[in-house]
Amino acid sequence: AQKITQTQPGMFVQEKEAVTLDCTYDTSDPSYGLFWYKQPSSGEMIFLIYQGSYDQQNATEGRYSLNFQKARKSANLVISASQLGDSAMYFCAMREPYNQGGKLIFGQGTELSVKP
Amino acid sequence: DTEVTQTPKHLVMGMTNKKSLKCEQHMGHRAMYWYKQKAKKPPELMFVYSYEKLSINESVPSRFSPECPNSSLLNLHLHALQPEDSALYLCASSQDWVQPQHFGDGTRLSIL
């Protein structure tokens, strides 16, 4: 069965510094997708970045990049130049194979606080 | 503003009431989802609709009844809910099962 692990319940970072949020996963399927979502206190889940298991390059979207290390089964999110608005809960998620329902499996989340 | 619109944003109801949550998207997505989320926890999948047909029901109690009237709309009918059903209910949609899911702002539901 697929599993996502986020080991950092909470993290602090100084404004304008970079921060790495950890995510490890476990799957025996060769085809999978990894996602990161941001959830501010207002509640909406905001899609940030996606990495496919066959993608050769690490995904990047503006200040967000995904440090994908396939052999270590890790997909860490790197946020560069942190801003106060980055304070939120961050969820890593993996998509199950289609023949198992294709559902998103979420990690427990990391609460990031950006200090001025 | 999200491209998935959920109404109402807040709902307070008694245990004997009947109410409905509504979700709408106009991105042409063919898969739509309902999630339940408790505070500080990840979302839990409840239902998946694919091409307007229910494809996944995660053993959700029958007091929650989903409905997909057309490809743009998804409803969640609520009846005889319990206090433990108080949560944030999120709707999401995606082009297909591979593409990222896009979420609405959610409905904060409180059961008295």
Side-chain angles (χ1 to χ4, degrees):
Chain A
Q2 285 73 25
K3 187 178 177 182
I4 289 276
T5 303
Q6 294 179 254
T7 57
Q8 307 153 313
M11 286 196 70
F12 290 92
V13 65
Q14 205 68 35
E15 192 179 9
K16 299 181 185 175
E17 291 184 351
V19 63
T20 298
L21 307 184
D22 294 341
C23 173
T24 58
Y25 61 91
D26 191 18
T27 181
S28 56
D29 199 289
S31 176
Y32 52 88
L34 296 157
F35 305 80
W36 276 94
Y37 285 88
K38 170 185 178 182
Q39 188 175 37
S41 57
S42 51
E44 73 270 29
M45 291 279 281
I46 303 166
F47 165 68
L48 296 178
I49 198 166
Y50 165 77
Q51 181 84 43
S53 58
Y54 295 119
D55 293 344
Q56 297 294 317
Q57 308 264 4
N58 284 348
T60 59
E61 287 287 347
R63 294 186 299 110
Y64 304 108
S65 60
L66 203 152
N67 184 359
F68 182 46
Q69 298 189 41
K70 200 168 180 177
R72 296 181 60 188
K73 293 189 175 179
S74 73
N76 298 339
L77 178 71
V78 180
I79 304 175
S80 62
S82 297
Q83 302 172 356
L84 296 179
D86 293 335
S87 293
M89 184 73 90
Y90 288 80
F91 290 101
C92 180
M94 179 168 63
R95 185 187 61 236
E96 281 187 337
Y98 181 75
N99 60 3
Q100 295 179 31
K103 298 180 295 188
L104 272 185
I105 304 166
F106 288 89
Q108 290 299 305
T110 296
E111 188 164 18
L112 177 67
S113 298
V114 181
K115 295 181 177 180
Chain B
D1 288 342
T2 62
E3 296 175 8
V4 177
T5 304
Q6 287 188 245
T7 54
K9 293 196 181 303
H10 297 89
L11 179 61
V12 179
M13 57 187 285
M15 288 190 284
T16 58
N17 292 155
K18 284 185 181 180
K19 295 285 185 183
S20 297
L21 309 185
K22 181 180 173 182
C23 174
E24 194 166 3
Q25 58 89 12
H26 294 287
M27 296 178 282
H29 289 175
R30 304 318 301 252
M32 296 187 78
Y33 312 79
W34 278 116
Y35 289 86
K36 173 184 176 181
Q37 186 181 25
K38 291 285 202 179
K40 306 287 188 184
K41 295 291 186 184
E44 300 171 10
L45 183 67
M46 300 174 72
F47 302 104
V48 180
Y49 273 83
S50 178
Y51 289 86
E52 301 164 48
K53 286 187 169 31
L54 183 64
S55 60
I56 295 178
N57 176 341
E58 290 287 285
S59 302
V60 178
S62 59
R63 57 185 185 269
F64 295 92
S65 175
E67 178 197 19
C68 189
N70 59 56
S71 60
S72 300
L73 277 176
L74 186 64
N75 298 322
L76 186 63
H77 302 298
L78 315 172
H79 174 55
L81 294 195
Q82 304 297 308
E84 61 266 26
D85 297 323
S86 298
L88 178 68
Y89 288 82
L90 292 162
C91 173
S93 70
S94 62
Q95 183 65 33
D96 51 42
W97 75 280
V98 174
Q99 298 302 317
Q101 294 178 24
H102 295 267
F103 287 77
D105 290 349
T107 295
R108 290 195 186 275
L109 176 65
S110 297
I111 307 300
L112 300 179

